[in-house]
Amino acid sequence: PLCGFQVIRCKAAVAWAVGKPLSMEEVEVAPPKAGEVRVKMVATGICRTDENLRQGLFPNSDFPIIPGHEGAGIVESIGDGVTSVKPGDKVILLCVPQCGKCIFCLNPESNFCLKAHMFETQCVLPDKTTRFTCKGQQIHHFMWVSTFAEYTVVPDYAVAKIDAAAPLDKVCLLACGFPTGYGAVINAAKVKPGSTCAVIGLGGVGLSAVMGCKAAGASRIIAVDINSDKFPKARELGATDCINPQDLKKPIHEVLIEMTGYGADYTFEAVGKLDTLAAAMTSCNLSTGMCIMAGDPPAGSMLTIDPMLLLTGREWKGTMLGGWKMRDSVPKLVSSYLEKKFNLDVLNTHTLPFDKLNEGMELLRAGKR
Ligand code: NAD
Ligand code: ZN
Ligand code: ZN
């Protein structure tokens, strides 16, 4: 009866310190303050970025912290002034929010928001406090959303209300992996029909990029991974060639250039390592080639490149979440999924109970998800 005004005790996976395994704890989740919503999490995906965070490779992150950023759930309660959602609504949590007011939210070309972590920390909510405590300690939020908790609290502009018919255990992947890879192709690169594309890294992001290349009408899609187990799925989604750099005598960029004449029209990096980033950059063609960085390089790392690579016209570009303005786009992506416009389910390799989150993290590390 006092729904929304009470502290909720529930389970959450806490990363107490860099490098430690996630620890299943009972946490307290405070009620939402003005402008905030508390969401009962129903399903969460696991993305490489969660593992990067655990390993201390994600910039400006404060521990202890509850990871997870690919979540879908149901609004449990709302704070004062919230009108965009009500208890019972199905929502997807947005790890890049859309405040609707900042200079980038107002720019139709941008999907950045000045409330996002890359500009201002999202380890605390906008009032600089957290809604999570455990054993008397404040626990930080991850990009506000912290989906590895049974309940979480975020500002209302960090959720998107979605179709009540959406299966939350499927559409949670629309919170990060799928929009990032697919949008890297469709929005960031704007791949033209008939082009040659190479995708390096075939996790959730890379496979979604392969789907995007296929949808964009690319005539050749070269899929690259050091784990050949990823190839059958890549082929099913439209890859025309699959290459394992470990089977080659030459560096991967040389092989890609040879295969394509002067380099691919578009290359996509979906690993998040400096060497694959450099390989992706050098293997798009020297004039009209475009390289999109979708992988997250380790925080604080530096890459040395020959600037002459860009002089001839090559473009090198990054993307956050594939360029979608998330609060506007996620409900539309959900509708497209329900209309079977893309195959999201192929990315869904395992479904585990919440208690087995660490097993899910282990599957990610082992390259099995
Ligand atoms: P993942 O771990 O599921 O997939 C990465 C793949 O790269 C694996 O299949 C792995 O075998 C392969 N790989 C590793 N080293 C390689 C190498 N040297 N050459 C070729 N392949 C190699 O990861 P994911 O969840 O798909 O995420 C991919 C990257 O994208 C990560 O860096 C993640 O942090 C980042 N990311 C960025 C955004 C964004 O907004 N830009 C969003 C989501 C994820
Ligand atoms: Zn992610
Ligand atoms: Zn904004």
Side-chain angles (χ1 to χ4, degrees):
L2 285 172
C3 149
F5 300 100
Q6 287 172 331
V7 169
I8 291 179
R9 272 170 219 286
C10 66
K11 280 182 284 185
V14 178
W16 286 102
V18 169
K20 292 268 161 60
L22 302 183
S23 163
M24 267 309 161
E25 305 283 0
E26 187 180 274
V27 299
E28 295 88 40
V29 186
K33 293 189 182 176
E36 296 174 354
V37 301
R38 187 160 60 184
V39 177
K40 179 180 167 41
M41 203 66 55
V42 174
T44 180
I46 299 179
C47 166
R48 172 63 57 174
T49 307
D50 298 310
E51 173 62 8
N52 291 346
L53 170 71
R54 196 190 64 81
Q55 291 182 15
L57 301 174
F58 193 77
N60 307 323
S61 33
D62 296 319
F63 287 69
I65 189 166
I66 299 175
H69 63 284
E70 231 178 28
I74 296 171
V75 174
E76 177 268 341
S77 59
I78 56 177
D80 283 346
V82 173
T83 54
S84 55
V85 289
K86 57 181 188 314
D89 284 348
K90 282 188 181 174
V91 290
I92 283 181
L93 286 282
L94 309 179
C95 58
V96 173
Q98 192 183 338
C99 78
K101 293 179 184 154
C102 73
I103 185 165
F104 295 111
C105 279
L106 293 172
N107 181 345
E109 304 277 293
S110 165
N111 78 324
F112 196 70
C113 173
L114 287 174
K115 298 289 182 185
H117 187 79
M118 293 298 159
F119 186 71
E120 188 181 312
T121 178
Q122 286 181 290
C123 293
V124 290
L125 292 186
D127 75 346
K128 308 287 177 214
T129 64
T130 86
R131 300 290 164 273
F132 295 117
T133 48
C134 180
K135 297 175 180 159
Q137 265 197 64
Q138 290 283 310
I139 310 293
H140 293 93
H141 298 245
F142 177 44
M143 295 195 282
W144 284 346
V145 294
S146 290
T147 63
F148 291 177
E150 290 178 310
Y151 286 84
T152 194
V153 178
V154 294
D156 66 341
Y157 54 87
V159 298
K161 183 180 165 175
I162 58 166
D163 193 323
L168 298 178
D169 57 335
K170 304 289 193 307
V171 298
C172 63
L173 299 175
L174 293 173
C176 179
F178 179 81
T180 300
Y182 198 80
V185 177
I186 302 291
N187 301 326
K190 300 189 171 66
V191 165
K192 297 190 190 90
S195 5
T196 299
C197 299
V199 177
I200 306 184
L202 302 173
V205 174
L207 288 174
S208 303
V210 170
M211 279 191 247
C213 293
K214 175 82 182 167
S219 58
R220 197 160 179 203
I221 305 168
I222 306 171
V224 181
D225 202 296
I226 51 172
N227 178 354
S228 300
D229 294 346
K230 305 275 178 166
F231 295 160
K233 225 170 230 186
R235 282 202 189 89
E236 181 190 333
L237 294 172
T240 54
D241 308 74
C242 290
I243 308 180
N244 187 331
Q246 291 173 337
D247 298 340
L248 306 172
K249 295 208 172 62
K250 292 180 188 170
I252 181 66
H253 70 274
E254 284 182 26
V255 172
L256 288 172
I257 291 171
E258 274 172 23
M259 285 175 76
T260 53
Y262 300 93
D265 297 316
Y266 304 93
T267 56
F268 299 91
E269 201 278 356
V271 179
K273 291 183 183 158
L274 297 180
D275 56 344
T276 44
L277 196 51
M281 242 278 272
T282 41
S283 52
C284 68
N285 86 59
L286 80 173
S287 174
T288 59
M290 187 189 280
C291 171
I292 305 287
M293 173 177 99
D296 286 351
S301 58
M302 300 292 254
L303 180 62
T304 304
I305 58 139
D306 177 355
M308 209 53 100
L309 286 167
L310 298 175
L311 189 85
T312 47
R314 264 195 189 90
E315 286 180 76
W316 187 22
K317 197 172 170 178
T319 183
M320 274 188 80
L321 293 175
W324 310 93
K325 274 189 190 293
M326 290 297 271
R327 205 168 175 211
D328 297 342
S329 305
V330 163
K332 293 177 193 159
L333 287 168
V334 168
S335 303
S336 299
Y337 167 74
L338 292 173
E339 290 159 18
K340 301 197 171 10
K341 294 209 173 125
F342 42 71
N343 181 357
L344 195 60
D345 299 341
V346 73
L347 302 179
N348 197 336
T349 54
H350 300 78
T351 303
L352 298 169
F354 183 68
D355 284 337
K356 302 232 161 114
L357 236 161
N358 266 319
E359 280 179 35
M361 295 290 279
E362 188 46 44
L363 287 167
L364 170 87
R365 286 189 288 269
K368 294 200 172 118
R369 90 85 185 79

